[in-house]
Amino acid sequence: MNLRSAVQQVYLSTKPKPWRLEKPSVIQFPVNDICNCKCQMCNIWQQKFDYQITPSELEQALSNPLFSEVSSVGINGGEPTLRKDLPDLVDVLFQKLPKLSAIALITNSLNSSQVIERISEIGQVIKNYHRKLDVIVSLDGVGEVHDRVRGRKGNFENAVKVIDFITESELVTSYRLGCTVIKENIYGLHDLLEFALSKNIYIKYRLGIPHQRLYSNHVVEPFDLSFAEKYHFAIFLENLIKFYEKSDQQKFFYKSLIGQLIYKKARTAGCSFQHRGATLSARGELLYCAVESKTLGSAVLEDAEKLYFENKQHLAEIIKTKCDTCAHDYVGLPPTKVLLKGYVKKVLSRLGISSDNFRNVKPLHLLLQKQNFTKRMNLYGLNSKKLGHSQPALQYLNASSQKRKVLICGWYGTETLGDKAILGGVINALHDSLPNMEIHLASLEPYISEMTIQQMSELQGCELHSITSAVQVAGAMDLVVFGGGPLMALSVLADMIAIFQKALEGKVPTLIAGCGVGPLGAPFYNQVIKYLLEKASHRIYRDQKSKQIAQMLGVDTALDEVAEDPAFTWVQSCMLSDTNSQIQSEIAKPMTLLLGLRDWPYQEYAYDLSLVKAERLKNSFEKEIIKALEQLVNKYPNLKIVPFPMCTNHIGNDDRWFYRKLFRNNSQIQNSLDLTHLAAEISPLDAVNIFKSASVALTMRFHSIVFALSTGIPTVAIDYTLGKGKVNSLAEKYQTPCMSLSSINSEFIVDSVSNFLDQDNASYDYEKGDLPLNFTNSVSKFIKSLEQ
């Protein structure tokens, strides 16, 4: 794109919609209205053949000056390859559209031999015009999943044949897969992505919606996703943005779709059909978009240009009443800010500058971190340069309150399984002293926490708050609790400070409950951590090392306590509960190695290392893991390896994506892998059951070690904090085999795991050394002090 076009686009994006109607640059052209599939989300297959536009009629329609600016045409249906005269239609398109550069063909690939024949025919036509052919194969799942969505057995097998053809054909310029997401395939999206990666073919996901052109505008069931299904899809899209998608425009569309899907926000993604797109139906009718537009008239029998421009009020009405709620995967000009950001990124890229370049320059990286933190502080009217450090006087619970209102904050909205167990432990401990308690939960991303609330009985009746809402209500609570997790160098510390500040202004007591301290970061972050600690009425650390770090920061820890991690409390309560029918009794179990691994976030835990050295350590660690697993499978042929994700959201680096990447293209251990838990998110209670059923665990995330210890499963730990933090401290306390990620090797893993497997123990009692205080008792003592 030249500078002039870029300026024009930016200028247009600043204008209110509807924008000035232009001649279409893109056309959707469903060439028929019949289909040989029986898709759940489409009823075209129920239509009987009546009439479809002929090549000569298409030539007549496209002779109208309306189409002089068309540069791309999407051919779909029905199933377009059912038309034997498809090459003739394509030939007319290139004859009559002087600026046409590419054709995009969408096919269901059910009849693979016929589809390949049609692609070859139209590919030759397009080659003669020296233009481009883009082929999109509709694929909605792997194997039987796709066949069920499409209503035809063998469809997946035939689709694979077409995929193999188009990836090799010289007549096909580009190729991709298109997945329509409905209830039937919602939990097969990861598997489909893995298939696409194995075939080295790009895939795009779209949400299935009621659609008038597909005669499904009154259909409900396939599109009626539950909250859990919406949640799963939203997290999947977030991970696509983070780990897979390269196109900024497509990333923005996914972000827009998440907002619509989860928070019912208005669509922000652009759409060319709002001002420069048209649909030409199989019968030669002209429409604006195929989703909502009425038929404007016949492009064959009437003046198409007149129909298009004289019905613009209808288009304006669509934009006003329909576009905000439309989830169709049309794209177009994004908002001005997003557009400018994309242009800046492209300019920097041409200069050889990327975001990684900024991260590699530590002074600049630290400056950006500080700016991000300061920006978040400013959102709440706080000044990071004026943070005081005096410890507040101990406040008291309001004696007149009949129902105690407790606000719990922390890294919720990013919670891992460990965070959920912490939350359960904190709530149970509070309930022990405050039986008549009303729980409020502050969340950085409320839809993630909403899933947690639905999964845990401890959170029944909990009121969920965004951070903005939590700041507003903090001063009206009876108690504000930072509920577990680490106080570490993150920009969202600003959100926690805002909550604590409002609590203090309202004379509300505050509690740091079961928290770690660290990893530390830049000096300004360390000062912020110190400030938050000092502003708490009382502090309970999850380990002695965290207390030592707090003391090192200058916090007076004389009255502070160290208690067991709240997650221990919660898991152990699950194990001891007679009413928990979901926890398995002791039965014979297969030899199982449970993995509690993660991608290594060296930006947080080894920020002092150079990028090159950190990447080298990360790659070495992953190679040694694979090497060890290969050796263990050879040594124990019946060993089942169960990768278990402790984190299932994009913010904490979704472990499901890490595992799939780690095991990709490794045939030696594939037959020993049980990937059951890498699809739908597992509830915390089910997770306890899964840990309990394992023979041994190879753990890395802190709370995967906690779960193993609490369920009596022997574990071998990898310290990804490089000896500086929580993992090493926990391993030392319980005398579990542990090695730093910086020196991990397959021999250590194989020998340690083998030692436990050869013992054939149903459970394992760890040497616990000096036990810390019971977390519940520690909380109870604090609550009693507030009631004096």
Side-chain angles (χ1 to χ4, degrees), residues 546-776:
S546 292
K547 183 177 178 180
Q548 292 169 354
I549 294 173
Q551 191 172 11
M552 183 189 73
L553 289 173
V555 178
D556 181 0
T557 62
L559 299 178
D560 295 358
E561 295 179 289
V562 176
E564 64 187 0
D565 189 291
F568 273 110
T569 305
W570 182 81
V571 177
Q572 289 165 356
S573 71
C574 293
M575 295 292 291
L576 295 172
S577 174
D578 293 332
T579 59
N580 179 13
S581 60
Q582 295 187 50
I583 300 297
Q584 295 178 343
S585 59
E586 290 297 335
I587 56 174
K589 53 191 178 186
M591 186 179 287
T592 303
L593 171 61
L594 185 143
L595 303 181
L597 306 177
R598 67 170 300 172
D599 197 6
W600 184 41
Y602 54 79
Q603 298 90 339
E604 297 170 16
Y605 291 92
Y607 82 99
D608 53 333
L609 293 181
S610 69
L611 182 64
V612 173
K613 187 171 182 179
E615 285 284 356
R616 190 183 301 126
L617 282 180
K618 173 178 158 63
N619 292 334
S620 175
F621 144 69
E622 293 179 1
K623 288 178 182 177
E624 291 300 312
I625 290 290
I626 291 296
K627 185 177 177 182
L629 295 179
E630 290 174 345
Q631 292 174 11
L632 285 167
V633 167
N634 288 333
K635 188 174 182 179
Y636 304 98
N638 295 325
L639 180 66
K640 182 171 71 170
I641 300 173
V642 181
F644 188 83
M646 297 295 294
C647 177
T648 49
N649 66 67
H650 61 291
I651 303 170
N653 285 334
D654 194 324
D655 295 340
R656 295 171 296 185
W657 288 68
F658 168 71
Y659 284 129
R660 289 178 182 274
K661 179 176 178 290
L662 183 67
F663 300 134
R664 197 169 291 148
N665 303 322
N666 186 296
S667 58
Q668 191 167 341
I669 62 174
Q670 285 298 324
N671 292 334
S672 300
L673 288 173
D674 179 357
L675 304 180
T676 304
H677 310 306
L678 302 188
E681 185 174 296
I682 307 298
S683 74
L685 199 57
D686 287 337
V688 175
N689 195 28
I690 292 164
F691 267 83
K692 184 172 168 54
S693 68
S695 307
V696 61
L698 176 61
T699 52
M700 186 172 168
R701 282 193 182 269
F702 178 83
H703 282 100
S704 63
I705 307 174
V706 170
F707 267 67
L709 293 170
S710 301
T711 54
I713 303 304
T715 185
V716 179
I718 299 172
D719 178 16
Y720 69 93
T721 64
L722 308 187
K724 300 174 184 177
K726 51 189 178 180
V727 174
N728 185 60
S729 177
L730 185 64
E732 285 181 352
K733 182 193 301 181
Y734 289 89
Q735 299 180 30
T736 63
C738 181
M739 182 175 281
S740 172
L741 180 141
S742 61
S743 55
I744 194 71
N745 58 75
S746 60
E747 290 78 15
F748 166 77
I749 297 172
V750 172
D751 290 345
S752 300
V753 170
S754 297
N755 182 49
F756 289 126
L757 288 175
D758 292 341
Q759 290 180 28
D760 194 29
N761 286 347
S763 62
Y764 186 82
D765 292 325
Y766 284 89
E767 295 290 337
K768 298 181 176 63
D770 294 329
L771 285 172
L773 290 172
N774 179 277
F775 177 75
T776 300

Side-chain angles (χ1 to χ4, degrees), residues 215-417:
Y215 303 97
S216 64
N217 47 326
H218 298 299
V219 175
V220 175
E221 199 279 332
F223 314 120
D224 187 22
L225 302 183
S226 66
F227 173 78
E229 290 164 340
K230 291 178 181 178
Y231 169 86
H232 180 79
F233 187 36
I235 294 292
F236 180 78
L237 292 176
E238 291 280 16
N239 280 309
L240 282 181
I241 294 167
K242 188 171 185 177
F243 298 116
Y244 178 73
E245 184 57 57
K246 303 300 182 185
S247 165
D248 287 336
Q249 186 179 60
Q250 189 62 33
K251 286 181 181 181
F252 186 72
F253 172 77
Y254 285 154
K255 275 290 186 185
S256 173
L257 183 57
I258 293 166
Q260 291 179 270
L261 188 68
I262 297 298
Y263 295 124
K264 300 189 184 306
K265 292 182 178 179
R267 175 187 174 112
T268 54
C271 177
S272 291
F273 287 84
Q274 291 181 333
H275 69 114
R276 58 180 184 189
T279 301
L280 188 63
S281 79
R283 299 174 181 83
E285 302 156 324
L286 186 68
L287 303 86
Y288 292 118
C289 74
V291 182
E292 294 291 350
S293 175
K294 69 179 183 181
T295 299
L296 306 180
S298 171
V300 178
L301 303 176
E302 302 176 69
D303 184 344
E305 188 172 33
K306 185 177 180 180
L307 292 173
Y308 183 79
F309 284 104
E310 291 190 357
N311 281 283
K312 60 183 179 181
Q313 191 57 43
H314 172 57
L315 179 57
E317 186 65 19
I318 293 173
I319 294 170
K320 180 181 178 181
T321 62
K322 302 293 185 180
C323 288
D324 282 353
T325 57
C326 177
H328 198 277
D329 63 334
Y330 291 145
V331 293
L333 282 182
T336 308
K337 186 176 180 180
V338 177
L339 194 60
L340 287 172
K341 186 177 179 180
Y343 287 144
V344 170
K345 184 177 178 181
K346 287 179 181 179
V347 171
L348 291 176
S349 177
R350 290 186 179 183
L351 296 174
I353 302 173
S354 69
S355 57
D356 287 337
N357 297 126
F358 290 107
R359 284 195 291 267
N360 293 342
V361 181
K362 286 199 173 174
L364 183 57
H365 183 49
L366 292 175
L367 177 62
L368 291 174
Q369 281 186 327
K370 192 168 185 177
Q371 286 180 340
N372 287 337
F373 176 78
T374 301
K375 185 177 180 180
R376 294 191 76 88
M377 290 285 283
N378 292 340
L379 287 175
Y380 305 109
L382 299 173
N383 189 333
S384 57
K385 295 180 180 180
K386 295 182 179 180
L387 295 179
H389 296 290
S390 59
Q391 188 161 337
L394 188 64
Q395 307 295 335
Y396 297 97
L397 286 174
N398 186 351
S400 64
S401 296
Q402 293 185 351
K403 197 164 193 175
R404 308 295 191 185
K405 293 188 290 185
V406 180
L407 174 65
I408 302 174
C409 64
W411 311 132
Y412 300 105
T414 70
E415 57 259 34
T416 63
L417 175 61

